[in-house]
Structure formats: C-alpha cells, structure tokens
Amino acid sequence: MAIIAITQKCNSKCTFCKIWECKNPIDFDENLIDKLPVSLKEVNLTGGEPFLHAKIEIIVGKLSALGCKVVINTNGLVKIKSSSRVLEFKNVGIRFSLDGIGEAHDALRGVPGNFQTVMKQIDNLRTWNFKDLGIFSTFSDANWRELVPLYELSRSLGVGFSCAVAVNSETFYKTSANGFKNAGPFIGELRKIISRELRSLRLKNIGKALFLHELARFAAGEIKVLSCLAGSSFFFMAPSGDLSACNMRDLPMGNLAEGAFEDLWFSSVSQNARSLTARCDKPCWTMCNAKRILKDNVLNYCVKFLQPLETPYEADNLVRS
C-alpha cells in the first residue's frame, strides 16, 4: 500500500491541518508512477487537494494500469464533471471529507458553503452510478457531537463511512496543536456506532466495529505503541517524489526521481527508516497501519473487544493530549 500526496495545493483552510499555508506548493510528477513496483496493489491519493492537480486523470490512469485500487481523498471543492476520466477507471473510490453537518463542517474547513458543495458532488456521482463513494470524518473536541449525525447521513445516502481523530504531524499536517482534551463524549458516541455495526452480523461491518473499538482506546490514551509496519507493508510519497516510511514522522527512504524504486527500497537508508519504525515510541491508530494489524491479529483483537477499557468510561473524564 502507498499513500501518495500528489500536490501541496489546497483550497480549504482547515483548523486542524496547515498544508494550505504552504508557500510555493509543488505538484507530483506523474511520470514517477512508471517507477513504482508492479507489486503495489493499493494507493491512497491525498494532498493538499488531489483534484487541484492538473494531471490527476493521468495519475489515476497510470495507477489503474498497474492494477492498483485507487482511493482519492477530497474536500469536494473542485467540481467533478461527468466527463472526467477518473470516473471511467475500474477500482477507483472517492472519499469526501465531512467533519460536521452544514455550518459545523464549514467552520472547521474554513470555507462557507463547503458542506452543500460536497452534498451536491455526492448527489451527482450517485446519479451517474459511480459506486465506490464514502465519507471520511476527522474528530476532536470541536466536533464530536457530529459523529452520529454524519454516520446517519452516510447510511441515508448509501455511501461508506470511516473516521479518525485529529492527530499531530509536523511532517504532514504541519501542526502539533491537535488532540482531545476530553475524549469521553466522543467515545460514548462512537460506541453507539459500534453497536449498530455489530447488529448487521456482516463480516465487513464487524471488522469496522473492531477498528472503531480500538479507535476509542486510542482516543482514551490506551493504545500502546504497536509493532509498526511502516516502510514494510506501506510507504508515503510526497509531491516532491520523496519516499518516507510514514507520513506522520520524518523517516526518509530516498527520492524516486533519483533512483529505481527497488534500489531505494533495499538501501541502507530505508533499512534505517524501518529500524526506527520498529522502535517508534508514538502510539498510532490510522487506517494505513490498523488495517494490516487487525488482519494479522484478528483473534487477539476480538478478545480485546470483549474487555472493558482500562480507564472506566465516564463522559467527562477521559483525557488525551
């Protein structure tokens, strides 16, 4: 799996991410896709705002030709036209960022009317029978009340729903000001969704419930340091072509414009990055590492699911900084 930021350009002004403040933003060279390994099967395109890259159709086309599943994360502010070639490729999904309903979302994203713009985009794509749609939400003290309404919105629209908590990264988000001061209310709302997912008795929904259960532990400060697979099962690539083991930390593995992927991947620099991830002291629960960890340790996490939080849940007494 790869997370590729294809541009530093951004037309949002998010309160929890400062990429939009980047001076002289650069775009990813689409020709670097030709240097990626054929073994790559899943790519998450991010930014900035991916649809601000003038050659996003070429990038998605090249990745599709490699046989990759491509997921595009977008703020929805760039209008997607019915004629866009992005919609023609197989195994392409689009995830719209929504962090609240109506003005609650607009305030966090710093763009009036953003919510309605996203809703119009989702409506258009559903009308055009584009199938792989989802909502992705980021939560903090500022918007935990929006969790259940956003989940209900996704169900009413018939699109996917996933979420995370706002995390810090000077490397990627350009900020260290994120974090829950009181995670209790958020965990209480999260448990409502976990119950809904479990009632479906479908394997996919049970997997989501496990992920959300561990997300609750992370928000409560109970996710310990995990055996991280950054730089082994996934990597991050910046618009500059710089490879890194992870987008949360500065763990360089070389620049793809300066050498073959295999040479960079097996270099001493990359080996050093992997050794640093193995000793990483920062708790983490994001989809890039959680998906593989859950899959490899599903029985252990099923057992943990039946165990109570180490800190008894109280609506006003769970702190994560």
Side-chain angles (χ1 to χ4, degrees):
M1 175 184 175
I3 302 169
I4 303 178
I6 63 173
T7 183
Q8 291 176 322
K9 297 172 184 173
C10 191
N11 47 3
S12 286
K13 294 184 178 180
C14 302
T15 59
F16 48 84
C17 174
K18 301 301 181 182
I19 293 176
W20 56 274
E21 293 183 345
C22 180
K23 307 298 183 184
N24 303 314
I26 61 175
D27 283 339
F28 178 75
D29 180 356
E30 72 279 6
N31 292 312
L32 293 180
I33 299 294
D34 299 329
K35 302 180 72 173
L36 291 174
V38 295
S39 58
L40 187 61
K41 297 304 178 186
E42 186 175 350
V43 174
N44 191 310
L45 293 184
T46 183
E49 168 49 48
F51 280 101
L52 287 176
H53 196 300
K55 297 183 178 180
I56 186 171
E57 293 181 351
I58 295 175
I59 292 171
V60 174
K62 284 176 174 285
L63 290 170
S64 182
L66 277 176
C68 292
K69 164 71 176 178
V70 182
V71 174
I72 307 170
N73 297 293
T74 177
N75 59 28
L77 291 173
V78 178
K79 184 177 181 180
I80 303 171
K81 298 179 180 179
S82 60
S83 59
S84 173
R85 291 190 62 234
V86 166
L87 308 181
E88 299 174 5
F89 298 111
K90 295 180 179 180
N91 297 323
V92 173
I94 299 177
R95 306 290 180 262
F96 288 95
S97 297
L98 278 181
D99 303 314
I101 304 295
E103 293 182 359
H105 173 73
D106 297 350
L108 287 168
R109 293 282 168 168
V111 180
N114 192 340
F115 177 81
Q116 289 301 328
T117 300
V118 170
M119 293 302 293
K120 178 62 175 176
Q121 296 257 49
I122 292 175
D123 185 57
N124 285 342
L125 287 162
R126 291 171 69 216
T127 300
W128 302 332
N129 292 316
F130 185 82
K131 301 298 184 183
D132 194 352
L133 286 172
I135 291 171
F136 182 84
S137 304
T138 303
F139 292 100
S140 66
D141 291 311
N143 67 330
W144 62 265
R145 291 179 178 84
E146 304 296 316
L147 174 57
V148 172
L150 285 168
Y151 176 76
E152 297 290 359
L153 175 65
S154 72
R155 291 176 66 89
S156 69
L157 294 172
V159 302
F161 177 81
S162 55
C163 66
V165 300
V167 295
N168 293 311
S169 172
E170 291 288 357
T171 303
F172 187 60
Y173 296 114
K174 313 299 182 186
T175 183
S176 57
N178 290 323
F180 272 106
K181 296 297 186 294
N182 179 10
F186 170 70
I187 293 171
E189 296 298 279
L190 201 57
R191 286 181 166 181
K192 296 176 184 177
I193 296 176
I194 292 170
S195 295
R196 292 280 295 275
E197 291 296 313
L198 287 175
R199 284 200 292 270
S200 74
L201 298 179
R202 295 174 59 192
L203 189 59
K204 180 179 180 180
N205 297 75
I206 292 172
K208 183 183 291 186
L210 289 175
F211 170 80
L212 294 177
H213 182 259
E214 291 306 301
L215 183 65
R217 289 184 181 273
F218 177 69
E222 293 186 7
I223 284 283
K224 310 304 181 187
V225 176
L226 302 173
S227 178
C228 186
L229 300 172
S232 298
S233 67
F234 66 92
F235 65 89
F236 171 70
M237 183 155 54
S240 61
D242 285 329
L243 295 179
S244 177
C246 173
N247 61 328
M248 295 292 116
R249 296 184 61 193
D250 184 19
L251 297 167
M253 301 174 72
N255 189 294
L256 194 57
E258 299 173 359
F261 182 88
E262 290 76 12
D263 292 339
L264 298 178
W265 191 252
F266 295 106
S267 69
S268 59
V269 173
S270 294
Q271 295 289 2
N272 180 63
R274 281 188 278 271
S275 68
L276 290 173
T277 64
R279 303 195 305 271
C280 181
D281 60 356
K282 297 183 182 298
C284 182
W285 191 252
T286 55
M287 190 53 72
C288 55
N289 71 348
K291 185 175 181 180
R292 178 65 181 272
I293 290 171
L294 278 172
K295 184 177 179 180
D296 291 349
N297 302 277
V298 63
L299 292 179
N300 289 337
Y301 280 100
C302 285
V303 171
K304 288 183 67 176
F305 189 86
L306 301 175
Q307 299 171 350
L309 286 170
E310 295 173 18
T311 304
Y313 165 66
E314 296 178 18
D316 296 318
N317 192 31
L318 281 175
V319 177
R320 177 176 176 77
S321 60

